[in-house]
């Protein structure tokens, strides 16, 4: 199966600087600098604005039947896009009104041109403007949001959210910070958001993702030269980013080519270890050994068939379990418990220098004294904290944490020198070199006991099979989300390992059908 599923060497980006990946996520600031660089690359701002407004008008016409449209325009270029969309919808025969937040005389540059090109009446934007509207286009604020909306704007936002009519937001719903996915104050809830050129982190991160509704990203003819020097703020998780490194079974391979996972479990929550070990075996590790305290040996050995179970010495020392160098990827945390012995076991595993996944109690045992852990980590380690475990290691979330979840995960990866998977509905995967990936395919049904154990097993299974740490984490998170999605409602964590083969088959089809590869920019 191997060659058919591999990415071809002819893919774009080898050697030469690759075109900016479609999965790149740009901060509003980066998008703004591309806008400013576009004219020098031969594309004037008004052409971008015309294309942006046209994309919005097209998206509206594709989604809704003709109705009375109210376009709410703001004082900047987001408002300019709104004026263009208003003109094009009117030209298509739709009844359109425009209401402006701010003064017509204060519009300048491309936005003033767009208002002139609309040429129709412009009323002041107040909550009463919404009366009679069948559809609202939100062109109040986009990338330029710089502070929480003040009271009067907040009243308008509240009125939009209270109106029982669909909303199409231009670029971002007004009030949403496209960089972080957070809202400094009130924000519009849209049914459709049309953004331009590349998505922004705030479209994938919560609560932003939930405010956007359906998301469309339109090509507005941004010249490649204007994007050339941009190092993306983050990437949206997608197989294009890591499929080249995916360890498809080789036709001439045997189980040792696919690596040997050593998982260290505890005495009590024995199911967690089993979930992780089964996931590691399902996703591609050649062998999986679970090492547990003597008291848990009979339970685990009786419950597992394809996973080998061995008893640790009574003091929990791991030297014997680590003696076989073919045990190339290690997992500790699921089912570990918080006995003090856990801490020395984690440090013993890390000292072996092998690839290692630390989850759950393997992180929590260092609560209050994270330095002992942080100093022992290395680049082939993957930490998989949820928000609570993350806060115990790296400190609580503070309101001033600029950049939100993305920034916190990136800072933690830099500080620890390990890959950090900050879990949640908007899982962020961060590498010590600054690369960040946001995952958006996880269904809410994944919020169930044991699903984190399965994820940890998926990551260590891919590490054992030879994937580098960042790629293994991204692939595991993506496959875990897809497996859950395919299971639908009512899933239990124990269903997930059995759903991995179906998810792997989807991945194989995607990779075979894709001619596209994306190289990272760092
Ligand atoms: N390539 C592209 O993506 C293109 C994007 N376009 C659109 O341009 C906007 C960004 O335009 P900009 O003028 O920089 O910002 P805004 O229109 O979002 O608003 C700036 C304006 O708003 C004021 N402001 C900021 N925060 C607040 C607040 N809380 N309350 C009140 N007023 C606020 C600020 O002072 C400025 O006056 C982008 O989103 C796209 O829609 C281009 O048209 C095409 C290319
Ligand atoms: K907007």
């Amino acid at each position: 199966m191997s060659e058919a599923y591999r990415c071809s060497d002819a893919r774009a980006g080898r050697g030469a600087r690759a075109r900016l990946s479609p999965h790149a996520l740009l901060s509003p600031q980066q998008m703004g600098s591309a806008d400013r660089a576009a004219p020098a690359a031969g594309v004037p701002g008004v052409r971008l604005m015309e294309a942006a407004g046209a994309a919005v008008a097209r998206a509206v016409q594709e989604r809704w039947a003709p109705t009375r449209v109210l376009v709410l325009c703001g004082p900047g270029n987001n408002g300019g896009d709104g004026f263009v969309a208003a003109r094009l919808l009117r030209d298509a025969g739709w009844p359109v009104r425009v209401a402006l937040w701010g003064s017509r005389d204060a519009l300048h540059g491309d936005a003033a041109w767009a208002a002139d090109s609309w040429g129709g009446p412009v009323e002041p934007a107040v909550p009463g403007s919404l009366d009679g509207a069948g559809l609202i286009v939100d062109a109040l604020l986009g990338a330029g949001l710089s502070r929480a909306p003040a009271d009067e704007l907040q009243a308008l936002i509240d009125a939009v959210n209270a109106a029982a009519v669909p909303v199409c937001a231009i670029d971002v719903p007004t009030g949403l910070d496209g960089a972080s996915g957070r809202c400094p104050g009130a924000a519009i809830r849209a049914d459709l958001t049309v953004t331009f050129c590349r998505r922004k982190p705030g479209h994938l991160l919560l609560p932003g993702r939930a405010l956007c509704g359906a998301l469309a990203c339109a090509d507005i003819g941004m010249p490649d030269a204007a994007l050339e020097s941009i190092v993306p703020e983050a990437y949206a998780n997608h197989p294009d980013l890591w499929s080249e490194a995916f360890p498809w079974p080789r036709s001439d391979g045997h189980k040792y080519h696919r690596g040997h996972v050593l998982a260290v479990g505890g005495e009590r929550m024995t199911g967690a270890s089993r979930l992780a070990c089964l996931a590691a075996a399902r996703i591609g590790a050649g062998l999986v050994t679970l090492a547990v305290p003597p008291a848990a040996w009979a339970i685990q050995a009786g419950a597992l068939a394809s996973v080998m179970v061995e008893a640790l010495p009574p003091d929990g020392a791991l030297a014997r379990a680590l003696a076989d160098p073919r045990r190339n990827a290690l997992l500790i945390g699921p089912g570990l418990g918080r006995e003090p012995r856990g801490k020395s076991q984690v440090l013993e595993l890390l000292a072996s220098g092998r690839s290692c996944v630390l989850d759950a109690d393997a992180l929590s045992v260092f609560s209050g004294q994270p330095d002992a852990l942080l100093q022992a980590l290395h680049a082939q380690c993957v930490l998989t904290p949820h928000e609570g475990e993350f806060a115990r290691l790296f400190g609580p979330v503070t309101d001033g944490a600029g950049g939100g979840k993305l920034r916190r995960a990136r800072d933690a990866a830099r500080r620890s020198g390990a890959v950090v998977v900050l879990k949640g509905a908007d899982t962020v995967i961060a590498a010590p070199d600054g690369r960040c990936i946001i995952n958006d395919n996880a269904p809410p049904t994944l919020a169930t006991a044991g699903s984190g154990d399965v994820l940890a097993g998926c990551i260590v299974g891919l590490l054992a099979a030879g994937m580098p740490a960042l790629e293994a984490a991204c692939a595991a998170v993506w496959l875990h989300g897809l497996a859950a999605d395919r299971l639908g409602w009512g899933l239990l964590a124990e269903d997930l390992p059995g759903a991995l083969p179906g998810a792997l088959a989807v991945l194989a089809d995607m990779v075979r059908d894709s001619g596209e590869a994306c190289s990272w920019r760092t």
Side-chain angles (χ1 to χ4, degrees):
M1 144 161 171
S2 62
E3 294 310 319
Y5 296 99
R6 273 172 190 237
C7 307
S8 120
D9 283 352
R11 289 173 141 188
R14 282 276 159 94
R17 189 163 180 84
R19 201 165 164 254
L20 186 63
S21 159
H23 312 296
L25 303 173
L26 304 187
S27 70
Q29 292 70 25
Q30 290 176 322
M31 201 68 261
S33 53
D35 283 351
R36 288 188 293 280
V43 181
V46 291
R47 208 191 304 163
L48 293 176
M49 189 172 277
E50 183 70 22
V56 172
R58 215 169 27 247
V60 164
Q61 291 173 88
E62 279 167 10
R63 190 175 169 112
W64 290 288
T67 182
R68 288 185 304 277
V69 178
L70 172 69
V71 183
L72 294 172
C73 292
N77 286 337
N78 195 251
D81 298 348
F83 279 109
V84 171
R87 164 168 48 83
L88 295 173
L89 285 169
R90 180 192 61 198
D91 293 351
W94 289 41
V96 181
R97 285 188 298 130
V98 171
L100 176 63
W101 173 261
S103 127
R104 170 68 185 80
D105 293 340
L107 294 178
H108 59 274
D110 298 343
W113 164 84
D116 286 345
S117 80
W118 152 252
V122 177
E123 49 188 279
V126 290
S129 318
L130 275 55
D131 295 346
L135 172 75
I136 295 168
V137 174
D138 159 28
L140 289 167
L141 295 174
L145 178 84
S146 59
R147 55 195 182 276
D151 289 352
E152 280 181 34
L153 182 54
Q154 173 158 348
L156 186 57
I157 291 171
D158 291 344
V160 170
N161 288 338
V165 293
V167 176
C168 171
I170 300 187
D171 199 11
V172 286
T174 290
L176 169 62
D177 173 5
S180 69
R182 298 190 307 173
C183 305
I188 282 180
R189 255 194 326 274
D191 298 280
L192 170 67
T193 297
V194 182
T195 191
F196 313 117
C197 187
R198 294 295 184 281
R199 291 167 290 172
K200 319 296 172 302
H203 293 128
L204 277 76
L205 292 166
L206 291 168
R209 194 204 306 167
L211 294 171
C212 289
L215 180 68
C217 185
D219 179 355
I220 55 170
M222 182 66 73
D224 283 344
L227 300 168
E228 195 156 47
S229 60
I230 292 178
V231 173
E233 185 69 12
Y235 293 85
N237 198 10
H238 188 280
D240 287 347
L241 299 176
W242 40 260
S243 62
E244 260 185 343
F246 199 82
W248 297 109
R250 288 165 31 182
S251 49
D252 62 346
H254 59 72
K255 63 190 175 190
Y256 282 106
H257 281 144
R258 301 173 62 195
H260 188 163
V261 167
L262 171 68
V264 176
E267 241 170 67
R268 289 194 193 93
M269 293 166 298
T270 52
S273 299
R274 287 200 293 281
L275 290 171
C277 288
L278 289 173
R282 287 279 191 188
I283 210 159
L287 300 93
V288 180
T289 295
L290 173 61
V292 291
W297 182 86
I299 298 166
Q300 298 292 30
L304 288 164
S306 44
V307 173
M308 295 170 284
V309 183
E310 67 185 29
L312 291 167
D315 65 357
L318 297 173
R320 206 175 60 210
L322 286 166
D324 181 350
R326 289 178 300 185
R327 295 178 173 188
N328 62 331
L330 314 173
L331 170 64
I332 186 162
L336 183 67
R338 298 223 192 148
E339 284 102 70
R341 154 179 87 208
K343 204 183 294 177
S344 47
Q345 287 180 323
V346 171
L347 296 175
E348 206 177 341
L349 292 184
L350 293 176
S352 75
R354 297 176 213 179
S355 298
C356 191
V357 178
L358 304 187
D359 183 43
D361 285 337
L363 303 171
S364 295
V365 287
F366 290 94
S367 175
Q369 38 186 305
D371 286 348
L373 173 64
L374 298 183
Q375 282 157 18
L377 292 168
H378 55 79
Q380 287 307 310
C381 296
V382 181
L383 314 184
T384 56
H386 56 52
E387 285 284 359
E389 290 154 354
F390 185 92
R392 272 174 231 138
L393 279 184
F394 299 104
V397 182
T398 56
D399 283 347
K405 188 166 184 173
L406 198 55
R407 174 76 58 86
R408 287 186 293 123
R410 178 179 284 133
D411 288 351
R414 285 212 168 107
R415 195 173 145 203
S416 64
V419 170
V420 172
V421 178
L422 179 47
K423 295 186 293 193
D426 52 353
T427 293
V428 174
I429 304 139
D433 65 7
R435 282 177 290 175
C436 273
I437 295 85
I438 306 173
N439 190 70
D440 71 344
N441 77 344
T445 47
L446 257 187
T448 185
S451 69
D453 304 317
V454 174
L455 176 63
C458 290
I459 300 172
V460 77
L462 292 175
L463 286 173
M467 238 179 158
L470 178 65
E471 283 80 357
C474 292
V477 168
W478 190 85
L479 285 163
H480 187 245
L482 178 61
D485 201 41
R486 289 167 55 85
L487 284 166
W489 286 12
L491 83 82
L492 297 178
E494 45 258 70
D495 303 328
L496 286 167
L500 286 170
L504 286 163
V506 171
L507 172 63
D509 284 345
M510 280 177 75
V511 171
R512 190 178 26 213
D513 294 345
S514 156
E516 185 82 12
C518 314
S519 47
W520 308 97
R521 278 188 191 177
T522 53

